Amino acid sequence: MNPVVQKTYTYPQFDYVQSEEQRTKTLKCHPVVIIGAGPIGLTAALDCAQRGIAVVLIDDNNTVSIGSRAVCYAKRPLEIWDRLGVAKPMVDKGVSWQVGKVFMRDDLVYSFDLQPEPAHKMPAMINLQQYYLEEYLVKACQEHALVDLRWKHKLLDLQQNKNKADAPVTLSLETPDGIFKVEADWVIACDGANSDTRKLVGAGFSGQFFQDRFLIADVVMKADFPTERWFWFDPPFHRGQSVLLHKQSENVWRIDFQLGWDVDPELEKQPERVIPRIQAMLGPEAQFELEWVSVYQFACRRVDQFRYGRVLFAGDAAHQVSPFGARGANTGVQDIDNIAWKLKLVLDGIAPASLMDSYHDERAFAADDNLLNSTRSTDFITPKNQASLRYRNAVLELAKTESFARPLVNSGRLSTPTPYLHSSLNTPDDATDAFVGKMFPGTNCADAPVRYEGANTWLLEVLNLLAVKQSNPAATFILLVFGDAPPNEQLNQLTSLLPAGLATPVLQLASGSLQDSEGRLQERYDGKAGTVYLLRPDQHVAARWRAFDALKIARAVKRCIGVFETSGANLGKKENAA
Amino acid sequence: MTLIRTPNIGQTDAFYQALIDAQRDMSEEQANMFSTKLVLILANHIGDNAVLNEAIALAKSNPVM
């Protein structure tokens, strides 16, 4: 393929290199093979590598995403990328925004702010063309000693030994040098909505298709619109349909036109059709150039099981959502956040392979939440009959003057993390321990400004710093302690109770090395003196108590790695079922 | 709270007259829009999702004559 050139971007061409194992015809078994070097596969490779797993990442192409596809990246995925050391160029290059406006015909009906809470390191949302994002991820992968990124490797076949659960997966790969086989203890399939891996394992992928089409135009122009998300219902320049305007990097603007079902997608892509639409929207004076145009139809679908033996599905290969709400790539990155530490514990023999079932439980739950939100937005944007259209328009008309109607306006509920409230890995709060606020067992850790070892920083950075100092970050459960340091006898008891290989370093607030510089930590965690939070390696709350109790902490750590004590009177799952 | 299914409007005839008068001079489409907005306004006033779900189910199941 020749290099593709757009007005503001030239696609890099990465070199295909024949692998040593293909050249020498040696069958090698890798701990993890990742299929697909899109944003999710690249993130998977980085996260596994940071956890200490050597990975092979394959892609059938040798460049980044052609055309701008994903645009909006939300705070939680940015926090994950920050943990992996790649968020900075994204935030620097991207356009940060947090205000969205909704218009009906000529009038503003509603405006929202995604981050009403101040003092978070990462912005609420950035907009960035997918190719820049992938470029930064590729660079980080290429620089990491544990990532073996192989271009022009296409997956042809995948076999699992059904009679032997711990047998490796055998993959047939095709390169310009022919076909060869590799083995993998685990496979992470990040090969997108049309996943070949999914077809090869025979996984189901069902849901709802929407009878509507959207024209996506990326336009280069110097315009003085504010960096906000603008969404129109039934605008004068595109009657009866919706339009979305969003700023990206390098003066590229994303415009989405709803087209309806009865249009010819090929015809609508032609510049002579696209340009007048945009001119009508921007006015006759506006000067712009087309960067990228495509027409798509969307679907909301989910794979039936996120885990098929030793194959794990992530990103669009596992779930496909409508684009309203920026829930595609954002959810996929959180899939990876969930997979990597668990895989490392399983590969190290610290946790049983059944821990990977919790990947399905937690992320299928999140995917269903995303699909529900995405479907609801779609029903509002694309009403299915006259009565639904009337309700939609009634909401919009009322919203102009009546505040009660504004929360009903749904132009996309933007991606926020789904807490794993029902996960079997959580230890529920003791009935006698009362907590207020937004944190629960199963929520991701809220960030907060702190001082650590004399410098201003952020809680999530400190958690990461502390984890990577340990010999095995994936096996590190940090204890965030408010108030006095736990007594040594309790700490010694905890160490003696923990399964081999696990560490629970203490991060102590107040008299310790951590200071709550603005009081946000105490506020966000309801951190009364004596409170202990047990934090998972993926920076989620596993459990919390109002006092330090080594026995309870050890039990919660075991539960969180999928070790349920079946003998003994009152431990693990049995306690929960009682 | 559950949905009230016994008479509860203070002045029934006056309410019904107000409802009919409000849309007497409207076109079919205007009247439909009026009714739709009224549903949304009243739903917000009720607020309780359980009661609203009961009301939706009752309206849906009430037999067509």
Side-chain angles (χ1 to χ4, degrees):
Chain A
M1 194 183 69
N2 293 320
V4 180
V5 179
Q6 287 178 197
K7 295 195 174 62
T8 66
Y9 189 76
T10 304
Y11 290 86
Q13 297 265 297
F14 302 114
D15 293 334
Y16 159 74
V17 179
Q18 188 183 24
S19 65
E20 191 63 16
E21 62 203 86
Q22 185 178 16
R23 195 178 59 79
T24 59
K25 299 189 170 61
T26 317
L27 181 64
K28 263 189 87 172
C29 184
H30 301 276
V32 171
V33 169
I34 300 161
I35 321 280
I40 309 310
L42 290 160
T43 303
L46 273 184
D47 205 355
C48 287
Q50 178 156 328
R51 301 293 186 187
I53 308 170
V55 297
V56 173
L57 169 58
I58 63 161
D59 195 274
D60 57 4
N61 206 334
N62 71 328
T63 186
V64 293
S65 158
I66 302 292
S68 181
R69 303 199 300 193
V71 166
C72 303
Y73 301 97
K75 179 164 148 287
R76 180 60 197 156
L78 289 170
E79 289 172 350
I80 295 166
W81 281 321
D82 199 39
R83 176 171 64 74
L84 300 175
V86 288
K88 194 177 183 305
M90 300 173 184
V91 174
D92 288 351
K93 183 81 177 177
V95 176
S96 290
W97 65 278
Q98 63 190 66
V99 172
K101 286 187 177 146
V102 177
F103 301 86
M104 166 75 163
R105 300 188 190 110
D106 287 311
D107 302 321
L108 173 68
V109 294
Y110 182 54
S111 127
F112 57 82
D113 189 332
L114 290 176
Q115 192 152 326
E117 197 177 80
H120 286 263
K121 182 183 179 191
M122 287 295 139
M125 200 68 91
I126 64 162
N127 289 356
L128 182 66
Q129 294 91 315
Q130 186 171 328
Y131 36 75
Y132 290 120
L133 184 109
E134 288 188 16
E135 220 184 283
Y136 306 144
L137 289 167
V138 167
K139 184 165 179 282
C141 280
Q142 285 170 336
E143 287 168 358
H144 204 298
L146 292 180
V147 180
D148 182 350
L149 174 47
R150 301 182 186 176
W151 305 104
K152 297 266 182 203
H153 280 59
K154 184 176 165 54
L155 175 70
L156 295 184
D157 193 28
L158 180 151
Q159 294 290 337
Q160 299 199 71
N161 187 335
K162 289 198 174 60
N163 302 317
K164 202 164 170 291
D166 58 352
V169 185
T170 307
L171 303 107
S172 298
L173 306 179
E174 185 179 40
T175 71
D177 290 304
I179 296 168
F180 74 112
K181 281 187 168 35
V182 294
E183 288 183 342
D185 287 323
W186 291 89
V187 170
I188 310 176
C190 308
D191 46 352
N194 297 317
S195 169
D196 286 331
T197 316
R198 209 177 48 225
K199 289 163 200 154
L200 289 168
V201 304
F205 192 56
S206 56
Q208 195 180 351
F209 273 92
F210 295 94
Q211 296 216 326
D212 205 346
R213 287 195 176 89
F214 289 79
L215 171 74
I216 303 300
D218 277 356
V219 165
V220 193
M221 63 172 174
K222 289 221 162 56
D224 51 6
F225 300 113
T227 45
E228 298 171 344
R229 176 186 194 263
W230 284 10
F231 194 101
W232 287 265
F233 290 100
D234 191 18
F237 53 84
H238 193 53
R239 292 312 306 267
Q241 307 282 12
S242 68
V243 177
L244 176 67
L245 174 71
H246 233 176
K247 189 178 185 184
Q248 304 176 74
S249 192
E250 301 287 330
N251 292 314
V252 173
W253 296 73
R254 162 65 57 88
I255 307 173
D256 266 30
F257 291 95
Q258 184 186 18
L259 295 175
W261 187 235
D262 303 318
V263 296
D264 178 345
E266 282 311 309
L267 197 63
E268 292 301 333
K269 267 193 277 194
Q270 303 309 313
E272 53 270 31
R273 298 282 287 223
V274 177
I275 288 167
R277 282 192 195 283
I278 298 172
Q279 202 80 61
M281 172 179 177
L282 301 173
E285 310 294 312
Q287 303 246 321
F288 61 89
E289 287 182 282
L290 287 181
E291 175 86 341
W292 175 261
V293 178
S294 60
V295 172
Y296 72 88
Q297 179 202 353
F298 56 71
C300 287
R301 296 186 286 180
R302 199 199 90 186
V303 71
D304 45 8
Q305 292 294 322
F306 280 47
R307 178 186 173 198
Y308 269 75
R310 299 196 148 240
V311 177
L312 306 166
F313 291 95
D316 282 4
H319 40 71
Q320 196 183 4
V321 293
S322 81
F324 297 104
R327 289 167 179 272
N330 284 315
T331 320
V333 173
Q334 294 169 80
D335 292 342
I336 299 308
D337 190 39
N338 194 284
I339 287 182
W341 69 276
K342 292 177 180 173
L343 261 188
K344 181 65 163 65
L345 290 181
V346 171
L347 284 164
D348 288 351
I350 295 171
S354 60
L355 178 61
M356 298 321 298
D357 290 333
S358 74
Y359 168 61
H360 169 84
D361 296 341
E362 295 185 333
R363 295 310 301 169
F365 178 69
D368 288 345
D369 183 42
N370 279 306
L371 286 163
L372 178 67
N373 276 288
S374 175
T375 305
R376 284 173 172 174
S377 300
T378 308
D379 282 338
F380 194 88
I381 293 163
T382 311
K384 304 291 176 291
N385 60 29
Q386 274 304 311
S388 312
L389 177 65
R390 192 180 300 120
Y391 270 107
R392 202 279 304 277
N393 289 343
V395 165
L396 290 168
E397 287 180 18
L398 283 166
K400 279 181 217 170
T401 55
E402 304 307 314
S403 69
F404 88 80
R406 286 169 202 158
L408 292 168
V409 175
N410 190 343
S411 69
R413 301 278 182 235
L414 287 143
S415 174
T416 51
T418 304
Y420 311 140
L421 292 180
H422 309 294
S423 172
S424 63
L425 306 189
N426 298 344
T427 297
D429 290 341
D430 281 347
T432 49
D433 287 351
F435 285 88
V436 296
K438 292 181 197 160
M439 302 300 294
F440 296 94
T443 44
N444 64 296
C445 294
D447 203 2
V450 292
R451 270 183 86 74
Y452 184 65
E453 293 179 341
N456 287 330
T457 177
W458 299 89
L459 175 69
L460 297 186
E461 273 190 55
V462 177
L463 293 178
N464 189 39
L465 202 70
L466 208 59
V468 297
K469 271 190 204 161
Q470 306 292 318
S471 60
N472 190 350
T476 301
F477 288 74
I478 292 171
L479 290 162
L480 177 64
V481 174
F482 292 83
D484 294 337
N488 275 331
E489 63 193 71
Q490 282 279 316
L491 290 172
N492 292 338
Q493 194 193 351
L494 176 58
T495 310
S496 71
L497 290 169
L498 285 177
L502 289 166
T504 52
V506 170
L507 184 60
Q508 190 219 339
L509 197 91
S511 58
S513 51
L514 184 74
Q515 270 99 44
D516 189 7
S517 39
E518 297 175 24
R520 305 273 185 194
L521 202 57
Q522 199 146 15
E523 177 194 314
R524 286 173 192 171
Y525 288 77
D526 187 19
K528 294 190 184 69
T531 302
V532 182
Y533 273 80
L534 176 69
L535 306 179
R536 295 170 25 160
D538 59 356
Q539 303 182 338
H540 282 65
V541 176
R544 58 186 177 170
W545 303 270
R546 287 302 190 188
F548 197 99
D549 182 329
L551 203 68
K552 287 181 180 174
I553 294 170
R555 202 184 287 159
V557 171
K558 287 183 202 168
R559 187 188 178 107
C560 198
I561 63 167
V563 176
F564 296 101
E565 297 173 24
T566 47
S567 61
N570 55 355
L571 298 171
K573 220 172 197 170
K574 283 189 171 169
E575 182 190 58
N576 193 34
Chain B
M1 210 179 121
T2 52
L3 182 72
I4 300 167
R5 292 179 67 175
T6 51
N8 189 44
I9 298 169
Q11 298 167 298
T12 47
D13 288 353
F15 157 71
Y16 197 79
Q17 185 191 348
L19 190 63
I20 297 308
D21 283 353
Q23 43 83 53
R24 188 184 305 280
D25 298 324
M26 289 181 187
S27 69
E28 192 66 17
E29 182 49 36
Q30 285 170 328
N32 283 337
M33 189 50 122
F34 160 80
S35 299
T36 305
K37 285 182 179 172
L38 190 63
V39 167
L40 294 169
I41 291 163
L42 296 176
N44 182 65
H45 184 83
I46 293 163
D48 184 331
N49 279 77
V51 175
L52 293 171
N53 286 338
E54 259 192 90
I56 290 168
L58 174 61
K60 200 176 169 187
S61 66
N62 189 244
V64 179
M65 283 188 288

